[in-house]
Amino acid sequence: MTDALKRLSDEGVAIWLDDLSRKRITSGNLAELIDQSHVVGVTTNPAIFQKAISGGEGYEQQLTDLATRKVTVEEALRMITTADVRDAADILRPVYDRTDGQDGRVSIEVDPRLAHNTPATIAEAKQLAWLVDRPNTLIKIPATKAGLPAITEVIGKGISVNVTLIFSLQRYREVMDAYLAGLEKAKAAGLDLSLIHSVASFFVSRVDSEIDKRLDAVGTDEAKALKGKAALANARLAYEAYEEVFSSDRWAALERVGANKQRPLWASTGVKDPAYKDTLYVEDLVAPNTVNTMPEATLEATADHGRITGDTVRGAYEQARAELDAVAKLSISYDDVVQLLEDEGVEKFEASWNDLLKSTEAELERLAPTEA
């Protein structure tokens, strides 16, 4: 079952699960995926927690205790989510130790309502790192304009970061710059750079969803022939940018004192269009020193019928450029697409967080002890 997953790992792709719930932790399922499916990390986001807590098992006792203490809904939510992340981090700790801190990671997101507030994002990241209190945690900070200086400050304090919601090549370069600036601050503060890790989550399938919609609107044969190509092209050119930045003199100076490269992480790798192969964004994004964070359905599809044929990124830069140029020639604006996707990404996570607050509040009210 797991030969394709092993081959993927052997090619230098770290397999992370894009899902977490208390039931997955307590049932032993997460440990089983680590042992049998080459899973070496976990990512979460507000939508994942919304699904887990609203419809999941295992939360009632903690919710009852929180209701009895009459905590605020915001505090209750953070107590619940950080407990899950802490427990998952403990399960993954042997992987973290075995890989010298590169993998065995669990990511938790700052409150998405803070995405455009730099000081609040920094404060929240510090609070989350303190609350979880595990060395193998990554704090997720969105790659908004306000997020960039927050990334630098948080890395500069020695906190490892998963930069999320990256859609554009220009923004990705700004993210890498923010990471290097953070390492430089950490170095100046006398911190051990070898203990600081980061991934940059470059979103994939949503790019195809938006550009394919616009190609359909154009309607020509030329437009239809480009469907399903833009997301892979975008991600491959992101890897080219990664190679460039992490072979620079600026990087070499940091590497000499123990710094770790910020790995590209392919996010949103479940296909949205049923016409596409369900392993498309796994098989066609194989490159060394990357992470692919997969929903469980994509992980199972890859294990079942994935075909891993070696590096599918580094030989495809010219083709990727040609494909994005062809899309642009049809008057589809790349800049407009990626900005829309960033804005929508923040809005969707904020909506999930608000839904989660409401459902948690309802549970706290239901479970609150009656006054004598």
Side-chain angles (χ1 to χ4, degrees):
M1 267 292 279
T2 57
D3 283 354
L5 296 174
K6 182 180 187 304
R7 285 197 294 275
L8 192 61
S9 298
D10 290 344
E11 290 291 340
V13 180
I15 299 167
W16 291 7
L17 178 70
D18 193 27
D19 189 53
L20 186 63
S21 68
R22 191 154 298 177
K23 184 179 180 183
R24 194 182 287 284
I25 292 166
T26 57
S27 68
N29 173 260
L30 178 58
E32 185 178 290
L33 290 172
I34 295 164
D35 290 341
Q36 299 179 16
S37 299
H38 304 278
V39 169
V40 293
V42 169
T43 48
T44 69
N45 61 46
I48 285 169
F49 277 129
Q50 199 272 334
K51 179 183 172 186
I53 297 169
S54 300
E57 302 171 20
Y59 295 99
E60 185 144 324
Q61 184 57 60
Q62 188 178 14
L63 280 162
T64 300
D65 292 344
L66 292 165
T68 303
R69 290 174 49 213
K70 298 182 179 179
V71 303
T72 65
V73 63
E74 283 87 357
E75 183 183 352
L77 195 47
R78 275 312 184 200
M79 290 299 101
I80 293 165
T81 56
T82 54
D84 280 357
V85 169
R86 190 181 307 115
D87 289 345
D90 288 344
I91 293 168
L92 279 154
R93 183 60 189 262
V95 178
Y96 170 84
D97 292 336
R98 187 176 74 241
T99 61
D100 292 325
Q102 178 163 267
D103 288 309
R105 295 277 177 175
V106 187
S107 298
I108 184 169
E109 193 132 3
V110 298
D111 185 331
R113 297 172 298 179
L114 307 177
H116 303 296
N117 184 329
T118 302
T121 294
I122 295 166
E124 170 97 341
K126 288 160 59 180
Q127 172 76 355
L128 284 173
W130 177 81
L131 271 173
V132 177
D133 193 28
R134 294 294 185 272
N136 52 329
T137 309
L138 290 171
I139 307 302
K140 291 179 83 173
I141 297 176
T144 56
K145 279 292 186 186
L148 295 170
I151 293 159
T152 296
E153 285 301 313
V154 172
I155 290 289
K157 295 181 185 302
I159 297 170
S160 295
V161 171
N162 176 344
V163 184
T164 188
L165 289 176
I166 308 171
F167 295 95
S168 87
L169 295 167
Q170 175 60 35
R171 185 57 55 82
Y172 178 43
R173 287 184 177 275
E174 292 169 354
V175 165
M176 290 187 284
D177 181 71
Y179 175 61
L180 296 184
L183 290 175
E184 287 158 354
K185 285 177 78 82
K187 179 185 173 187
L191 300 181
D192 182 351
L193 300 195
S194 71
L195 300 178
I196 303 171
H197 286 259
S198 184
V199 293
S201 295
F202 202 86
F203 278 55
V204 185
S205 66
R206 295 187 195 180
V207 174
D208 270 344
S209 295
E210 183 59 33
I211 289 183
D212 282 0
K213 184 168 67 178
R214 299 183 186 209
L215 290 167
D216 280 336
V218 173
T220 63
D221 289 343
E222 182 187 8
K224 290 174 184 174
L226 288 167
K227 288 183 66 176
K229 298 184 183 298
L232 291 172
N234 200 38
R236 286 165 172 166
L237 293 178
Y239 193 84
E240 182 185 43
Y242 156 79
E243 287 190 305
E244 179 188 320
V245 169
F246 288 98
S247 61
S248 66
D249 291 341
R250 183 185 183 192
W251 165 248
L254 291 163
E255 190 174 37
R256 281 194 293 272
V257 291
N260 299 291
K261 291 179 179 177
Q262 181 187 55
R263 287 182 293 172
L265 178 152
W266 311 128
S268 184
T269 56
V271 297
K272 302 286 194 288
D273 188 334
Y276 299 154
K277 189 176 181 184
D278 54 4
T279 54
L280 175 67
Y281 303 126
V282 177
E283 295 176 0
D284 286 5
L285 288 175
V286 177
N289 209 37
T290 57
V291 179
N292 194 310
T293 183
M294 306 180 202
E296 189 167 24
T298 305
L299 181 75
E300 290 174 349
T302 304
D304 181 62
H305 52 264
R307 293 185 69 252
I308 308 304
T309 58
D311 189 329
T312 50
V313 172
R314 288 184 290 183
Y317 298 149
E318 290 311 311
Q319 179 187 349
R321 256 187 289 279
E323 286 165 348
L324 288 188
D325 285 347
V327 169
K329 284 174 183 170
L330 296 173
S331 299
I332 296 172
S333 168
Y334 176 87
D335 291 341
D336 181 66
V337 167
V338 294
Q339 188 59 57
L340 174 70
L341 290 172
E342 179 186 305
D343 293 343
E344 285 183 349
V346 172
E347 288 167 9
K348 285 174 182 175
F349 280 169
E350 187 172 334
S352 292
W353 194 253
N354 286 331
D355 287 345
L356 187 48
L357 285 168
K358 287 174 189 170
S359 58
T360 303
E361 186 172 37
E363 284 296 283
L364 290 172
E365 289 173 359
R366 182 178 72 83
L367 296 166
T370 55
E371 297 294 336

